[in-house]
Amino acid sequence: MSTILRTLRNLRRIGIRDYLHQMQYIGDTKAGTYVASDRYGNKYYENLAEELPLRTRWVDYKDKEFSPCQIEPGWHAWMSYMVDKPPTEDALLRTGQRMWELPDHRPNLTASRAAFKTYST
């Protein structure tokens, strides 16, 4: 939850359209610099100057029905503060798509009707 002054300052910076989008999906207003986007279309942002510690990086998911499993491993490491550089700047994390990876994202089906269920005889 943010203060009224912080919310109004971010509203002035990002505009009414992005303000409403962030309140709908994040529940907070954030203004920062665009870092990059991944192959799924998620956009990553950072604001080191004005945000609280450990709240300086965030993701804007492409899909409205998002799941945290839609973040690539390199971006997950950056979002979790395991590395300082985003995958676009780090040679080890910038691997692209490996030959064993699926070309499209397969969602996590846990707690859904399509989840794996063991069959007992």
Side-chain angles (χ1 to χ4, degrees):
M1 195 69 185
S2 62
T3 63
I4 294 174
L5 292 176
R6 180 177 170 270
T7 302
L8 292 175
R9 182 182 67 224
N10 289 337
L11 172 63
R12 185 181 47 129
R13 287 183 184 169
I14 62 176
I16 190 74
R17 181 175 171 262
D18 287 336
Y19 170 79
L20 293 173
H21 174 78
Q22 287 182 2
M23 289 304 288
Q24 176 73 26
Y25 295 108
I26 301 175
D28 192 10
T29 58
K30 292 181 174 277
T33 57
Y34 173 76
V35 176
S37 63
D38 61 7
R39 64 179 160 180
Y40 301 129
N42 301 326
K43 298 176 187 173
Y44 296 89
Y45 297 92
E46 184 173 35
N47 184 353
L48 297 174
E50 299 171 354
E51 291 293 328
L52 296 171
L54 299 178
R55 292 184 60 191
T56 59
R57 300 173 181 169
W58 66 96
V59 61
D60 184 14
Y61 293 98
K62 178 185 173 190
D63 299 329
K64 293 180 181 175
E65 296 293 327
F66 60 87
S67 171
C69 69
Q70 293 173 340
I71 297 179
E72 294 179 359
W75 284 108
H76 178 266
W78 181 75
M79 291 283 296
S80 302
Y81 300 94
M82 291 183 223
V83 295
D84 293 331
K85 296 180 188 175
T88 54
E89 298 174 9
D90 194 354
L92 289 174
L93 297 176
R94 187 181 11 174
T95 57
Q97 185 173 356
R98 297 166 186 94
M99 56 188 289
W100 49 266
E101 288 182 351
L102 296 173
D104 294 327
H105 177 261
R106 194 170 76 199
N108 186 358
L109 300 174
T110 303
S112 70
R113 293 186 67 127
F116 175 78
K117 296 177 186 73
T118 58
Y119 178 75
S120 63
T121 56

